[in-house]
């Protein structure tokens, strides 16, 4: 198994157990699933009363996105109010440009050739222009486990069906770790 880590923070972002769909030679899109985490159930030996009929939802049950939960990503913003960390495209673009500079520096440090770096930069710009900018209001933003806002910001959106969540990960910002 290969675990892909953020080249800047070292956070585990995704693994090859998921179907990584490469787009524009710059990102991976990964379809996710909503899963329900059940709450704790304490059996004290009493029979439930008619007023407390089981409604199919356990106490403390919570729906999460499998990849976000499995890789311990943190929502950037306030989940209770739905407020996102990046209110405008300009806010996000500032973070993205800063992150991309760090990625390019790490790629050069690792001996990547200029052609590969240029292809990644062009692909990233193309993906941002075609996909992220026109749909910016639909994306949620997540950081890796370290919650370092200077590291990779993982984008979450839903496919055209409105049901299937997917994340977007910057391909050039990943290193591989074989397990």
């Amino acid at each position: 198994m290969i675990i892909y880590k953020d080249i800047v923070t070292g956070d585990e972002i995704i693994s090859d157990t998921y179907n990584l769909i490469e787009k524009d030679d710059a990102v991976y899109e990964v379809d996710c699933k909503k899963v329900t985490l059940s709450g704790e159930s304490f059996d004290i030996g009493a029979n439930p009363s008619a007023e407390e009929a089981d409604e199919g939802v356990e106490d403390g049950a919570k729906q999460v996105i499998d990849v976000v939960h499995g890789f311990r990503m943190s929502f950037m913003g306030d989940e209770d109010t739905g407020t996102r960390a990046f209110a405008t495209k300009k806010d996000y673009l500032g973070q993205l440009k800063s992150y991309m500079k760090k990625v390019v520096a790490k790629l050069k440090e690792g001996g990547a050739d200029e052609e590969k770096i240029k292809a990644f930069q062009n692909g990233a710009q193309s993906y941002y222009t075609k996909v992220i900018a026109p749909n910016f209001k639909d994306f949620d933003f997540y950081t890796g486990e370290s919650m370092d806002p200077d590291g990779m910001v993982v984008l979450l959106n839903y496919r055209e069906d409105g049901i299937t969540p997917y994340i977007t990960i910057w391909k050039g910002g990943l290193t591989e770790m074989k397990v």
Side-chain angles (χ1 to χ4, degrees), residues 55-145:
E55 296 176 4
V57 178
E58 295 180 35
D59 287 339
K62 179 180 176 183
Q63 260 202 337
V64 297
I65 307 291
D66 60 349
V67 173
V68 169
H69 179 73
F71 287 92
R72 299 171 297 283
M73 294 179 191
S74 297
F75 180 72
M76 295 182 76
D78 184 349
E79 283 186 290
D80 294 331
T81 64
T83 306
R84 301 176 319 159
F86 303 108
T88 66
K89 291 178 202 174
K90 186 177 179 182
D91 294 340
Y92 174 67
L93 201 51
Q95 189 281 341
L96 182 60
K97 285 180 180 180
S98 172
Y99 177 71
M100 289 298 177
K101 284 181 186 175
K102 292 175 191 162
V103 168
V104 167
K106 291 279 189 181
L107 290 173
K108 286 180 180 178
E109 186 180 296
D113 63 7
E114 286 297 320
E115 190 175 309
K116 178 182 176 183
I117 293 170
K118 197 69 172 162
F120 170 65
Q121 289 174 314
N122 291 339
Q125 184 174 5
S126 172
Y127 189 85
Y128 176 83
T129 304
K130 289 187 320 189
V131 179
I132 298 172
N135 301 299
F136 181 78
K137 65 181 180 0
D138 299 328
F139 283 97
D140 286 332
F141 308 98
Y142 290 84
T143 58
E145 184 175 19

Side-chain angles (χ1 to χ4, degrees), residues 143-156:
T143 58
E145 184 175 19
S146 69
M147 293 189 262
D148 185 344
D150 295 327
M152 183 182 298
V153 172
V154 176
L155 301 138
L156 174 81

Side-chain angles (χ1 to χ4, degrees), residues 34-38 61-64:
K34 284 187 174 183
V35 294
T36 302
L37 302 178
S38 61
K62 179 180 176 183
Q63 260 202 337
V64 297

